[in-house]
Amino acid sequence: MTPIDSLRSAPGLQPGLVRVDADLRLLNDDGTPSTELSARVHPAARSRLAAYLQAQREQPQAEAWLLGLPLNVEPEQMAWVDVRLHWQAEASGGAGSGVWHGECRDATQALLDQRLAALGLSVLDLMPSAAVITEARADRPIVYANPAFVALTGYAREEILGRSCAFLQGQEREQPALPALRRALAQGEAFEGVLHNFRKNGQPFWNHLRITALRDPETGWVTHFWSVQTDVTEKRERIAALSVLSLELESLFQDTPVGLVSFDRQGRANLVNAATAHLTGLALQGLDRMQVIAALAPWRLNDEADSIFTGASGGVCHIRVPGGRPRILELSTGTHGSSGTFDILVIRDVTAERTVSQMKTQFLSSAAHELRAPLASIQGFSELMQMRGGLSEDQASMMETIQRQSKRMTALLNDLLDLTRIEAQLPGQMDLREVDLLAVAQCAVDDQAVLSERHPLLLQAELRDWLVQADEVKLEQVLVNLLSNARKYSPQGGTIELSLLRRPERGQLGLAVRDHGMGMSPDTLSKLFTRFFRAHPNGEVGGTGLGLCIVQELVERMQGCIEVQSELGQGSVFTVWLPAAHQAPVQSE
């Protein structure tokens, strides 16, 4: 039904012609009255119609049109007309008698185009997101599409205009989001959702759609829908991948035999896996950090430091869980960021490891005891035969070889025992306390100075506080080992320099041992701390290949680190860094 058909309800009225009697009733072709004119006009516009008619009665203007008069129809049939009426009085009638004559014309499309133009389409052309405007009529044809929409779909504008956006859905017309979309369009409401659409080349993509209804200011009718569309395919794929990864991590978290406890920002155990309850027999879910510590504290080993049990941000300790078969559990902690305490607690059953370690230590101790006796005999009898004399040159050479190799075997045995004892020692069993690094260095220099006149020792340090957190006995063992290496790898002699250093930005003090001997190649440096590795395996320099492993293990257990610089033929520098004592803060130079 056209707007004019909607306006006139009685037959006989010529299209475009309008006659209205003095009582404002539409007249049929035969002059009989029909429906009131105001009943055919939208209620919101009736006052505008009345004002127009009043003005035409008082000051008639033949070309005066009433523009954009909305008709009283359903919103989905929205229609506007332009009306022009003039009053013709009847001379034979009484006062006020006469007829309105005029015409009406369809203004619907013109008004919709006017509304569209008012939206500022030139601005929408510049939008980076795809934008589409459709009319709100039942078929909802596209009346505007910006360049971004053309780029998104691959369709040219002339292929888009006049069509419904539904063509982008291809054959997938039963998507989960479509009922809500259709309902929103029917009710003139906003909508936001994701649809599975297809480009012109058939390539599918996920389209995030946001729709806003645009209304006529006079009638409230929804005249257009404006939609902004975004390709979220990559985002959805990432979300899907993250979802799969999350499920895999959740499965791994729950299925791992290692106990895991994660604390949220409020310090509560929000993630606790099944292994934690199995290992400890405790229900830790929902407890705060201090409650978890309190639950585990009664089982801690007395010979270990209790940094974890004070809430420190990192550390390792052990507990003994009682029961028919007591277990030793290793507790290690970490932090998500820079918080002052730990956010993650890892619980590992090390009962078997501890048992094997103890068995290994006992075996090596027994083996050492059994091996030392025959080695001592070999060394003693070879020395006795050398002292008795009367040996030929070949025999004397053989005795020297026996002496040298028996001493080497003894040194190797001692280093193995040292390394085994260090590894068997728990981290907390180090006797860490305030130690004067300068005093330990001076003591080591005094003890080693008499061993070789060809290697004078030079200690360089200003007279200031050099307090570190360390085990004094182990620290001296480290220095002695480094000085011994410096002598061995400087066979031509030369000064060995000891320098005390500061690294205030890391809160560390250091001691560097520099020699001017053989030096090392980059390949040798990369293997330096490997067990049994010797820089000169051909026997040019003696050794077991375990000394630097022992040094590294001791330094790391004192919460320090060791660094090496060396150049072949130019000597080497070994630097040990240790944490400065808190009671004596390090000052910058």
Side-chain angles (χ1 to χ4, degrees), residues 449-471:
V450 299
L451 297 180
S452 175
E453 295 180 356
R454 296 186 301 113
H455 298 91
L457 300 180
L458 177 61
L459 177 59
Q460 299 173 333
E462 74 272 18
L463 297 176
R464 294 173 58 183
D465 290 333
W466 292 98
L467 298 179
V468 295
Q469 288 287 344
D471 184 310

Side-chain angles (χ1 to χ4, degrees), residues 11 13 16 34 70 122 137 140 166 281 285 311 342 389 393 435 551 555:
L13 184 63
S34 180
S122 60
R137 289 182 292 179
R140 298 186 179 87
Q285 184 76 38
F342 64 86
E393 185 177 342
V435 175
V551 167
V555 170

